[in-house]
PDB file of all heavy atoms in Angstrom:
ATOM      1  N   ALA A 386      -7.261  -4.156  -0.075  1.00  0.00           N
ATOM      2  CA  ALA A 386      -7.235  -2.654  -0.097  1.00  0.00           C
ATOM      3  C   ALA A 386      -5.811  -2.102   0.160  1.00  0.00           C
ATOM      4  O   ALA A 386      -4.943  -2.719  -0.493  1.00  0.00           O
ATOM      5  CB  ALA A 386      -8.257  -2.072   0.886  1.00  0.00           C
ATOM      6  N   CYS A 387      -5.650  -1.247   1.106  1.00  0.00           N
ATOM      7  CA  CYS A 387      -4.405  -0.749   1.348  1.00  0.00           C
ATOM      8  C   CYS A 387      -3.335  -1.679   2.047  1.00  0.00           C
ATOM      9  O   CYS A 387      -2.133  -1.448   1.903  1.00  0.00           O
ATOM     10  CB  CYS A 387      -4.481   0.492   2.268  1.00  0.00           C
ATOM     11  SG  CYS A 387      -5.501   1.780   1.718  1.00  0.00           S
ATOM     12  N   ALA A 388      -3.831  -2.815   2.430  1.00  0.00           N
ATOM     13  CA  ALA A 388      -2.965  -3.876   2.933  1.00  0.00           C
ATOM     14  C   ALA A 388      -2.729  -4.958   1.845  1.00  0.00           C
ATOM     15  O   ALA A 388      -2.130  -5.916   2.150  1.00  0.00           O
ATOM     16  CB  ALA A 388      -3.591  -4.507   4.188  1.00  0.00           C
ATOM     17  N   GLY A 389      -3.297  -4.621   0.642  1.00  0.00           N
ATOM     18  CA  GLY A 389      -3.149  -5.747  -0.447  1.00  0.00           C
ATOM     19  C   GLY A 389      -1.824  -6.154  -0.791  1.00  0.00           C
ATOM     20  O   GLY A 389      -1.590  -7.383  -1.008  1.00  0.00           O
ATOM     21  N   SER A 390      -0.891  -5.264  -0.800  1.00  0.00           N
ATOM     22  CA  SER A 390       0.548  -5.766  -1.190  1.00  0.00           C
ATOM     23  C   SER A 390       1.078  -6.610  -0.088  1.00  0.00           C
ATOM     24  O   SER A 390       1.957  -7.434  -0.248  1.00  0.00           O
ATOM     25  CB  SER A 390       1.370  -4.499  -1.499  1.00  0.00           C
ATOM     26  OG  SER A 390       1.481  -3.588  -0.509  1.00  0.00           O
ATOM     27  N   MET A 391       0.930  -6.225   1.159  1.00  0.00           N
ATOM     28  CA  MET A 391       1.328  -7.081   2.277  1.00  0.00           C
ATOM     29  C   MET A 391       0.648  -8.371   2.430  1.00  0.00           C
ATOM     30  O   MET A 391       1.343  -9.351   2.808  1.00  0.00           O
ATOM     31  CB  MET A 391       1.395  -6.205   3.538  1.00  0.00           C
ATOM     32  CG  MET A 391       2.274  -5.008   3.353  1.00  0.00           C
ATOM     33  SD  MET A 391       3.077  -4.529   5.019  1.00  0.00           S
ATOM     34  CE  MET A 391       3.277  -6.069   5.837  1.00  0.00           C
ATOM     35  N   PHE A 392      -0.565  -8.437   2.056  1.00  0.00           N
ATOM     36  CA  PHE A 392      -1.259  -9.703   2.036  1.00  0.00           C
ATOM     37  C   PHE A 392      -0.537 -10.589   0.822  1.00  0.00           C
ATOM     38  O   PHE A 392      -0.272 -11.731   0.998  1.00  0.00           O
ATOM     39  CB  PHE A 392      -2.647  -9.559   1.763  1.00  0.00           C
ATOM     40  CG  PHE A 392      -3.621  -9.493   3.041  1.00  0.00           C
ATOM     41  CD1 PHE A 392      -3.281  -8.460   3.886  1.00  0.00           C
ATOM     42  CD2 PHE A 392      -4.716 -10.308   3.231  1.00  0.00           C
ATOM     43  CE1 PHE A 392      -4.030  -8.323   5.117  1.00  0.00           C
ATOM     44  CE2 PHE A 392      -5.430 -10.143   4.363  1.00  0.00           C
ATOM     45  CZ  PHE A 392      -5.108  -9.182   5.327  1.00  0.00           C
ATOM     46  N   ALA A 393      -0.267  -9.837  -0.259  1.00  0.00           N
ATOM     47  CA  ALA A 393       0.414 -10.591  -1.457  1.00  0.00           C
ATOM     48  C   ALA A 393       1.701 -11.048  -0.995  1.00  0.00           C
ATOM     49  O   ALA A 393       2.181 -12.185  -1.376  1.00  0.00           O
ATOM     50  CB  ALA A 393       0.463  -9.560  -2.611  1.00  0.00           C
ATOM     51  N   LEU A 394       2.398 -10.192  -0.265  1.00  0.00           N
ATOM     52  CA  LEU A 394       3.777 -10.631   0.205  1.00  0.00           C
ATOM     53  C   LEU A 394       3.651 -11.872   1.103  1.00  0.00           C
ATOM     54  O   LEU A 394       4.579 -12.740   1.070  1.00  0.00           O
ATOM     55  CB  LEU A 394       4.429  -9.491   0.967  1.00  0.00           C
ATOM     56  CG  LEU A 394       5.854  -9.596   1.445  1.00  0.00           C
ATOM     57  CD1 LEU A 394       6.778  -9.830   0.189  1.00  0.00           C
ATOM     58  CD2 LEU A 394       6.336  -8.418   2.249  1.00  0.00           C
TER      59      LEU A 394
END
Side-chain angles (χ1 to χ4, degrees):
C387 303
S390 55
M391 291 212 36
F392 272 54
L394 184 63

